[in-house]
Amino acid sequence: MASPAGISGHDGARDQLLSHLRGLDPWQLEDFKLALQCPELLPEGARRIPWADLRAAGPADLLCLLEERFPGRRTWEAALRVFEDLRLSSLCEQMRAELHEMSQVCRLQDPNQEEPETVEETAHRRRYRERLRTRILALWDCTPWPEDHIYLRHVTQREHAELQGLLRPRGAGAPPLTMLLEGAAGVGKTTLATKLVLHWAEGVLFRGRFSYVFYISGHRLAKLGDISFAGLLALDWPDSQVPVEEFRAHPERLLFVIDGAEEVTLGSKGSASRPGADWYQELPAASILFRLLKKELVPEATLLVTAGPPGGRALRGLLLRPCRVGIPGFTEGDRREYLRRFLGDPDVAEEAWRRMRGSETLVRLCAAPLACWAVCAGLKRQLAGSPASALALGAPTPTSLYARLFCSLLAGAEPGLRTGSSAGQWRAFCSLAAEGLWLAAFTFAGDALERWRLEAPFIDGLLRLQILRRVSDCEHCVTFAHRSFQEFFGALFYVLWGARGSLGGVPRHQEMRRWLNHAFADANPYWRQMVRFFFGLLGTDLARQLEEAVGCRMSPGVADEVLDWAEELERCGAVSGRFDFLWLFQCLHETQDENLARRVLNHLPVADLDIQGCEHLRVSSFCLKHCPKLRKLRLSVSRRVLEKKWTSGLGTPDWKSMAPVEGLRKLGLLLRGDRHLTHLDLSSNSLDAAVSRGVFRMLGHSACGLKYLWLESCGLSTEVCHQLFTELGRNSSLSFLSLADNDLSHVELARLREPPGTATCALKELSLEKGNLSAAACEDLASLLTSTPRLTRLCLGLNPLGDEGVQLLCGSLTRPECVLQRLELWCCRLSTPSCRHLSDALLRSRSLTHLNLRRNSLGDGGVKLLSSALGRADCALQSLNLSHCSLTVAGCRELAHALKCNGHLKILDVGNNDVQDEGLKELCRVLKSPSCVLQTLGLEKCSLTAACCQPLSSVLRSSKSLENLNLLGNDLGPDGVSRLWMPLRKSTCKLRKLGLEKDLCSVVSAELEKLHEKGCFLRVKSQWDFNDPEERWWW
């Protein structure tokens, strides 16, 4: 048996931390992100996370960013430090307790530590151990391995220590352990689990810890009908007298090893009976397993469960606080050693390894021992003809290696697998593989083989070739020797000649189109490698080789069907945020057919690429040059890729052109003469002067049609910014520019002004958010506002401008040359004096319509100054954000007075202020007025109670304009919401969106359904979002 190289332990900490992040409200989540920008809160020596990555990140993405920057336990420590800064005391206390528990759980046990004293063994326990040992050895004997497979290691003392450490007893009072072993197919999860069982049966491990260890196979369980729990345990008992009462007397000394739990369809199969009350009740086997996993049957027992990644994700929500352990399979050193020993010649092996490292997919695939054998066997056959020419081709593709391997195996097989008479059998076999991947089925019983009319001699031939193997604990069942084999033959089904789909319901080409749509949206994790094999099989040379090997005709129209699918994507706009563009590029690169790639990519309007390695870089270079209609491109190269020494050990000068810096430098060629590309996002790339020069030079080219450019978190130097401004002043079509999260403190922003005698600057929207700009920069900014005739939107958020800086800005806002419409000044360290200057600007500006002042300590005094302008009929402001501005009831009174005379303001946000019920009552008095035109009112986290719902109800009954009302984060209670709901039942109510806490949403769900039946369009949201683009802040 192959042995896993090591165990990487991690408990349920990730899920717990994600739960904590998801428990934050939107304000707290933003506070968390802002705190991560403070160096003093980060672990020592850690780099901060770019604001471009943080700003729009949800809880799940935020956790990924934390894990990338602060791996392991440091993720929790960084999060805890931020939560402490946010003064979330109860959450911090909970996290400290969880961190303490993590330090006790899942730590590898000292191999010298003695186990508890072994209890005296009974005769029937000895017989059971012998029976279990015989069963495990039989399982291993029934698992064949290729003759030329390399065995790298055997059981060692270290492995004993690791196995022992997996199930280390927890501290006193801690709940019984549930261990979840996760890993890709074939990496050794079953091997590890069965070794643990075998070592117990042989008396090597756990004899003092567990009286009984039970091995439950998902394969076997899935084929059982109704059975009792006692009956399930009796299946492996040496005689009919199962000591159930002994088991129940000491449940804490029981270990259940459940291997391949994802093979059983569980659903929600719990029973209403009392947990553990009846071990003799017959239930479907899946229900028994469900109750066992939920700790309903034997709460005090220890569980060890194995599952692949998709099954593991589902089980995490079912198991009670599982301790998760990753099984990585072969290490990189193992893979390299395997290749060296398999190929024999050290020099050839070393060169082959260098080439393989160019494909992260191949290296990752080789983590599984049998897949490593398949890759090495394919490579060996590829090298057999001409080693020099094979190595000159660069990194081989997985499809080419698998095709070479299977063609070679079939060349030496019996004629029954290669003659034309077997063509129908091959089509049925490939259809079986595809159907299994659709249905997540990997074990095939005799009835499935009969349904596809697969004959015994054909199956026996595949068993001898070790493409298939028998499932030892499931009679008459077969499975593919490795999951990747099933993925290869499933892909082959879609390129074979034939009209029938694998599922039988729709024609093959329609099934293929549906499959491709889902595969690139990551709807089914089992399809990812299959779709890559499929594209690889579109190559004519591989198709011809397989056609000869299996005696089946390949469909000549598959490539045209793929083109039809690509056209449909473009026509229907199916390329969305969920579409995996990089995976499409990898699949097209797998074809090694530039003509096909060009024809498919001719229909691609958008690409969103995160370059994380050499392979990503290579396939992007291969595909981007074939995207003539590309309109929007976001390209981010990770820092670790940029810092990698790409030419080291890669063999040929060609690899130098793959360096990320060179790739970004050549991006200028993509811009030149391309009027289709209008949106380019290069955020989070390190753009030095050399790289930037090539990109920026094209902006002034007459043929460049670029309109939107994001350069956020790029570490731009002063020199680079000045160079950019120079190019923009020449002949640029650029209308939007974001330089957010770059240090602009020494940049001469006045250089963005339109130079005399030049063509008109097209720049309309400029974001300088988090640019480290102080009051000193505002003189340049003020000049910019009056000298850039089209600039209508300016974001200066997260800059320490202060009151002095705003004074300088406001001087230009009042000038007739200034056409600014939207101004972002959030979190700019403003106070009451700023409002005096802003008030004057609001009165004198005829263009400014949107103003965002959130997260500034303006106070009631500042709001009073702003209200003096708002109260004037000639004030043109339409949207005002005063959230988190320290206003109280007095400030609401001033706003209410201003709204009486204002006929323009449509959006007002006063969230996260101490408004209270009295403040809202002040606002409600004016909101009822027919002259009030307010459409959106933000009252999130305003200390409101049920007492405010009556005046709000009155507003909803009479208002002719209010359409959006955010009441999230307020303690309204069911009674308050009931009062609020009364006017919503009337058809005259204009409200279209209402923000309420989750528990209150459930209170009104039935009433909301009735309103929808009557044709009402009201939405009740537990998370606030602006769906109208005009309601969004533009950046």
Side-chain angles (χ1 to χ4, degrees):
M1 294 292 292
S3 174
I7 299 169
S8 60
H10 55 96
D11 59 17
R14 189 180 196 280
D15 297 328
Q16 288 171 261
L17 185 52
L18 181 57
S19 175
H20 294 327
L21 291 174
R22 284 175 171 160
L24 300 177
D25 64 40
W27 289 97
Q28 292 169 331
L29 189 64
E30 185 175 68
D31 286 337
F32 190 99
K33 296 174 187 177
L34 290 171
L36 285 175
Q37 298 296 291
C38 302
E40 61 271 17
L41 291 179
L42 302 181
E44 187 176 354
R47 297 195 316 270
R48 70 175 182 84
I49 302 172
W51 181 245
D53 298 336
L54 270 179
R55 183 173 49 198
D61 292 332
L62 179 56
L63 180 55
C64 290
L65 291 169
L66 288 170
E67 290 173 330
E68 183 181 336
R69 278 292 192 276
F70 321 120
R73 185 184 173 92
R74 294 174 73 204
T75 304
W76 271 71
E77 291 170 347
L80 178 58
R81 199 171 300 181
V82 173
F83 286 142
E84 288 172 341
D85 184 68
L86 300 182
R87 299 180 182 177
L88 300 174
S89 53
S90 60
L91 178 57
C92 291
E93 187 176 340
Q94 181 182 350
M95 285 187 66
R96 288 188 199 100
E98 289 166 344
L99 272 169
H100 178 71
E101 184 180 346
M102 277 187 268
S103 67
Q104 305 300 318
V105 179
C106 293
R107 183 183 296 160
L108 290 181
Q109 188 173 0
D110 182 351
N112 299 316
Q113 181 177 339
E114 294 183 4
E115 288 197 347
E117 184 180 349
T118 305
V119 296
E120 185 179 348
E121 188 165 53
T122 59
H124 63 258
R125 187 182 299 146
R126 268 197 309 275
R127 290 198 304 273
Y128 172 69
R129 285 198 300 107
E130 185 56 36
R131 171 75 174 263
L132 187 60
R133 178 180 180 276
T134 301
R135 181 189 172 198
I136 297 301
L137 291 175
L139 287 178
W140 288 10
D141 289 341
C142 292
T143 305
W145 287 84
E147 290 182 2
D148 51 353
H149 172 61
I150 305 295
Y151 293 87
L152 290 184
R153 67 173 62 79
H154 299 286
V155 178
T156 64
Q157 184 62 33
R158 177 175 175 269
E159 188 175 62
H160 277 163
E162 288 184 335
L163 289 170
Q164 202 166 14
L166 277 177
L167 298 175
R168 183 185 183 191
R170 306 177 90 168
L177 182 64
T178 296
M179 180 72 64
L180 178 60
L181 299 186
E182 297 179 286
V187 294
K189 302 182 296 296
T190 294
T191 300
L192 188 66
T194 52
K195 275 185 178 178
L196 188 149
V197 175
L198 181 67
H199 294 336
W200 175 82
E202 292 177 335
V204 178
L205 289 177
F206 303 123
R207 287 193 61 191
R209 171 84 188 280
F210 299 114
S211 299
Y212 294 97
V213 174
F214 301 97
Y215 178 75
I216 299 173
S217 162
H219 288 308
R220 187 186 198 185
L221 205 60
K223 305 304 175 186
L224 294 177
D226 287 0
I227 193 170
S228 67
F229 185 49
L232 180 63
L233 301 183
L235 293 177
D236 287 320
W237 200 255
D239 53 51
S240 59
Q241 299 300 315
V242 183
V244 171
E245 294 310 315
E246 182 184 347
F247 299 159
R248 299 179 74 164
H250 298 284
E252 75 283 355
R253 296 185 65 83
L254 303 181
L255 168 63
F256 294 91
V257 177
I258 304 164
D259 185 26
E262 73 265 39
E263 294 278 345
V264 184
T265 304
L266 292 171
S268 299
K269 297 182 181 293
S271 75
S273 61
R274 197 158 47 89
D278 189 355
W279 284 32
Y280 296 96
Q281 179 186 5
E282 290 206 351
L283 294 168
S287 295
I288 296 290
L289 180 59
F290 182 92
R291 297 178 66 198
L292 182 60
L293 293 172
K294 291 284 285 182
K295 292 288 183 83
E296 293 178 2
L297 276 168
V298 198
E300 300 87 351
T302 299
L303 300 184
L304 188 144
V305 185
T306 74
R313 282 194 291 271
L315 284 169
R316 283 175 222 160
L318 181 64
L319 299 171
L320 302 181
R321 300 190 70 180
C323 179
R324 292 165 50 207
V325 172
I327 307 300
F330 278 172
T331 65
E332 183 169 320
D334 291 333
R335 298 167 219 190
R336 192 172 187 172
E337 174 66 10
Y338 194 103
L339 182 64
R340 185 190 67 77
R341 289 169 61 178
F342 198 95
L343 295 182
D345 186 324
D347 294 334
V348 172
E350 188 62 24
E351 186 63 24
W353 173 249
R354 289 195 185 105
R355 294 298 170 184
M356 278 181 59
R357 285 185 63 197
S359 170
E360 284 91 348
T361 300
L362 268 183
V363 174
R364 190 166 52 248
L365 191 61
C366 288
L370 190 63
C372 192
W373 167 81
V375 167
C376 291
L379 186 59
K380 187 173 186 177
R381 287 160 172 79
Q382 194 177 74
L383 293 168
S386 173
S389 61
L391 291 175
L393 297 174
T397 66
T399 313
S400 66
L401 294 181
Y402 272 54
R404 185 64 64 100
L405 168 65
F406 292 128
C407 286
S408 175
L409 290 175
L410 290 170
E414 56 262 39
L417 291 176
R418 294 183 285 112
T419 60
S421 61
S422 65
Q425 289 288 284
W426 277 110
R427 274 193 291 270
F429 175 67
C430 293
S431 185
L432 175 75
E435 180 192 53
L437 291 164
W438 274 95
L439 304 177
F442 310 106
T443 300
F444 306 97
D447 56 350
L449 304 180
E450 290 176 9
R451 179 165 51 84
W452 286 103
R453 298 179 182 176
L454 286 166
E455 299 166 359
F458 183 81
I459 295 297
D460 290 341
L462 296 177
L463 289 167
R464 282 189 289 274
L465 293 178
Q466 295 182 354
I467 292 172
L468 292 178
R469 65 175 177 83
R470 295 207 179 276
V471 180
S472 51
D473 53 359
C474 181
E475 193 175 2
H476 307 305
C477 295
V478 296
T479 187
F480 285 83
H482 187 260
R483 181 76 49 79
S484 59
F485 292 9
Q486 183 173 351
E487 291 161 344
F488 181 87
F489 287 103
L492 183 57
F493 168 74
Y494 290 101
V495 298
L496 290 176
W497 183 274
R500 187 174 181 270
S502 69
L503 299 177
V506 296
R508 182 188 56 79
H509 71 280
Q510 290 183 18
E511 184 176 285
M512 182 195 76
R513 185 172 296 189
R514 178 182 161 201
W515 164 61
L516 288 174
N517 286 337
H518 289 183
F520 289 108
D522 205 24
N524 185 331
Y526 301 117
W527 288 341
R528 283 186 71 81
Q529 187 57 45
M530 183 167 77
V531 77
R532 183 167 183 157
F533 281 140
F534 167 75
F535 274 86
L537 291 171
L538 296 179
T540 53
D541 289 342
L542 286 182
R544 192 178 304 112
Q545 293 171 28
L546 284 165
E547 197 170 54
E548 295 174 2
V550 301
C552 287
R553 287 182 59 198
M554 301 291 160
S555 175
V558 178
D560 291 331
E561 291 169 2
V562 171
L563 291 174
D564 291 341
W565 165 75
E567 286 181 18
E568 188 71 19
L569 278 180
E570 181 188 26
R571 189 163 51 248
C572 300
V575 178
S576 65
R578 293 179 59 206
F579 191 90
D580 194 335
F581 298 94
L582 202 50
W583 191 246
L584 174 64
F585 282 14
Q586 287 177 278
C587 290
L588 287 171
H589 183 265
E590 191 82 8
T591 67
Q592 297 291 290
D593 186 338
E594 290 206 44
N595 183 48
L596 177 61
R598 185 181 301 111
R599 293 165 69 196
V600 170
L601 293 170
N602 185 53
H603 304 287
L604 191 72
V606 181
D608 190 334
L609 307 173
D610 278 307
I611 308 298
Q612 298 293 330
C614 173
E615 183 177 5
H616 289 173
L617 197 64
R618 187 175 65 254
V619 301
S620 298
S621 301
F622 176 81
C623 291
L624 274 177
K625 60 187 177 184
H626 297 312
C627 300
K629 295 183 180 178
L630 195 66
R631 296 194 305 272
K632 298 181 180 181
L633 171 63
R634 190 189 73 83
L635 177 64
S636 176
V637 183
S638 76
R639 183 180 293 270
R640 61 187 177 85
V641 177
L642 287 167
E643 293 172 349
K644 190 168 183 177
K645 297 184 183 300
W646 290 95
T647 57
S648 175
L650 287 171
T652 69
D654 291 342
W655 282 89
K656 294 179 181 178
S657 64
M658 290 296 148
V661 171
E662 286 293 327
L664 289 172
R665 191 176 287 135
K666 291 180 179 179
L667 187 60
L669 299 177
L670 181 66
L671 299 178
R672 184 177 184 128
D674 187 350
R675 284 214 168 271
H676 290 287
L677 188 67
T678 57
H679 296 63
L680 178 62
D681 188 347
L682 295 177
S683 297
S684 302
N685 292 296
S686 294
L687 298 180
D688 59 20
V691 175
S692 307
R693 190 173 295 115
V695 176
F696 295 167
R697 191 174 293 130
M698 294 304 112
L699 294 175
H701 196 275
S702 60
C704 177
L706 199 68
K707 296 185 183 300
Y708 295 81
L709 178 61
W710 288 263
L711 297 170
E712 301 175 358
S713 305
C714 286
L716 301 180
S717 66
T718 300
E719 176 195 355
V720 167
C721 289
H722 290 165
Q723 182 186 9
L724 171 63
F725 298 164
T726 299
E727 296 299 340
L728 287 176
R730 287 179 175 156
N731 184 28
S732 175
S733 58
L734 202 69
S735 62
F736 172 96
L737 174 64
S738 178
L739 300 176
D741 196 27
N742 291 287
D743 188 354
L744 308 175
S745 56
H746 300 294
V747 174
E748 297 175 35
L749 296 170
R751 292 196 184 195
L752 264 174
R753 288 181 297 181
E754 183 179 308
T758 62
T760 302
C761 178
L763 195 64
K764 296 180 180 179
E765 305 172 14
L766 176 64
S767 175
L768 305 175
E769 183 178 84
K770 203 173 182 297
N772 197 25
L773 299 173
S774 62
C778 289
E779 191 170 342
D780 274 1
L781 286 170
S783 174
L784 191 66
L785 290 176
T786 57
S787 60
T788 311
R790 287 181 169 80
L791 190 63
T792 58
R793 302 182 178 190
L794 177 63
C795 176
L796 297 173
L798 271 176
N799 284 295
L801 303 180
D803 298 328
E804 182 185 350
V806 167
Q807 181 179 3
L808 291 169
L809 281 177
C810 288
S812 289
L813 289 174
T814 61
R815 299 274 296 274
E817 307 96 287
C818 177
V819 295
L820 199 70
Q821 297 173 3
R822 300 190 178 207
L823 177 61
E824 276 270 326
L825 293 172
W826 74 280
C827 204
C828 286
R829 301 185 187 176
L830 312 184
S831 59
T832 300
S834 290
C835 296
R836 188 180 307 278
H837 309 299
L838 287 167
S839 178
D840 184 51
L842 289 175
L843 283 176
R844 297 171 62 185
S845 171
R846 292 292 170 264
S847 60
L848 192 64
T849 57
H850 292 66
L851 180 61
N852 186 351
L853 297 173
R854 70 186 179 92
R855 287 188 178 272
N856 288 293
S857 297
L858 306 181
D860 292 330
V863 172
K864 182 176 181 178
L865 291 170
L866 291 172
S867 297
S868 66
L870 286 173
R872 297 278 294 272
D874 54 349
C875 178
L877 199 68
Q878 297 176 18
S879 177
L880 177 61
N881 192 335
L882 295 174
S883 57
H884 217 308
C885 285
S886 305
L887 69 92
T888 67
V889 175
C892 292
R893 191 175 295 119
E894 296 294 338
L895 285 171
H897 182 73
L899 287 173
K900 287 180 182 177
C901 306
N902 188 296
H904 299 287
L905 196 67
K906 296 179 181 179
I907 301 172
L908 175 63
D909 193 345
V910 292
N912 223 331
N913 287 296
D914 193 22
V915 171
Q916 302 187 38
D917 296 334
E918 285 304 312
L920 181 54
K921 287 176 184 176
E922 295 285 348
L923 291 172
C924 286
R925 291 189 181 100
V926 70
L927 291 174
K928 291 188 292 185
S929 170
S931 61
C932 181
V933 297
L934 201 69
Q935 296 175 355
T936 298
L937 178 60
L939 294 165
E940 186 169 345
K941 295 186 73 172
C942 282
S943 305
L944 305 179
T945 71
C948 77
C949 293
Q950 190 57 50
L952 262 181
S953 178
S954 179
V955 169
L956 294 176
R957 190 177 293 111
S958 58
S959 174
K960 303 299 181 186
S961 61
L962 193 63
E963 296 180 353
N964 307 291
L965 178 61
N966 184 1
L967 296 172
L968 285 164
N970 293 293
D971 187 17
L972 305 180
D975 292 340
V977 173
S978 296
R979 284 197 292 274
L980 198 63
W981 200 261
M982 294 177 65
L984 299 179
R985 298 190 182 103
K986 298 184 178 296
S987 59
T988 54
C989 181
K990 300 295 183 182
L991 201 68
R992 290 294 173 263
K993 184 165 65 174
L994 175 64
L996 291 176
E997 290 297 292
K998 273 187 179 179
D999 57 333
L1000 298 178
C1001 286
S1002 61
V1003 169
V1004 301
S1005 59
E1007 288 283 348
L1008 184 62
E1009 194 171 331
K1010 291 178 183 177
L1011 288 180
H1012 288 168
E1013 289 173 357
K1014 294 178 181 178
C1016 176
F1017 295 105
L1018 176 67
R1019 292 170 295 146
V1020 179
K1021 311 286 285 186
S1022 59
Q1023 285 190 329
W1024 193 254
D1025 62 325
F1026 289 103
N1027 291 317
D1028 182 353
E1030 284 306 308
E1031 291 181 11
R1032 291 180 185 269
W1033 295 108
W1034 57 275
W1035 37 88

